[in-house]
Amino acid sequence: VQLVDSGGGLVQFGGSLTLSCVASGFTLDEYAIGWFRQAPGKEREAVSCMFATDNTTYYADTVKGRFTISRDNAKNAMYLQMISLKPEDTALYYCAVDQVCAPWLVSGGDKYVELWGQGTLVTVSS
């Protein structure tokens, strides 16, 4: 049972990236999915999540309108499409899975995550 995330890299201000996360050993569509990020010297924070029941989505205010979470059940994968990237988006991004994701949406919510990807680094230059 694991998540493998990828797609990070170096991009200029205003650029775009799409992160991918492939699940193995279980069926992703039965779970809530999401993405966290951790910038240097900061706590890990929830960026986005998608409920398992009805695919309701949540976005942090800092990324709303720029990031889009999605899942592809046929590929057992999830994605985070990021546009209009800013230097403050620079962080290590982690995909995450659990039965529910609502508990993730508060400070310290990362402790409720059941399964993590290994992280992929996104660096946005100014």
Side-chain angles (χ1 to χ4, degrees):
V1 173
Q2 66 174 353
L3 297 172
V4 178
D5 43 27
S6 62
L10 175 63
V11 64
Q12 290 187 333
F13 176 83
S16 303
L17 279 175
T18 297
L19 306 182
S20 302
C21 178
V22 179
S24 60
F26 67 102
T27 303
L28 196 60
D29 66 358
E30 298 176 357
Y31 294 86
I33 61 172
W35 293 87
F36 283 74
R37 68 184 181 187
Q38 186 167 24
K42 294 189 177 181
E43 291 185 355
R44 188 156 46 182
E45 61 174 355
V47 171
S48 179
C49 79
M50 178 180 281
F51 295 3
T53 50
D54 59 3
N55 284 342
T56 297
T57 55
Y58 156 85
Y59 296 95
D61 288 342
T62 52
V63 307
K64 203 171 292 183
R66 300 187 298 120
F67 289 13
T68 304
I69 188 172
S70 62
R71 65 168 94 214
D72 184 332
N73 293 334
K75 295 183 178 179
N76 213 31
M78 69 173 93
Y79 306 95
L80 185 68
Q81 183 182 12
M82 307 183 293
I83 65 171
S84 302
L85 283 162
K86 307 174 182 180
E88 51 264 44
D89 294 318
T90 295
L92 195 57
Y93 284 72
Y94 299 88
C95 57
V97 164
D98 207 336
Q99 298 292 333
V100 294
C101 64
W104 302 353
L105 308 181
V106 297
S107 178
D110 58 336
K111 64 179 176 283
Y112 298 109
V113 172
E114 179 175 345
L115 184 65
W116 293 100
Q118 82 282 6
T120 185
L121 181 63
V122 173
T123 304
V124 184
S125 63
S126 57

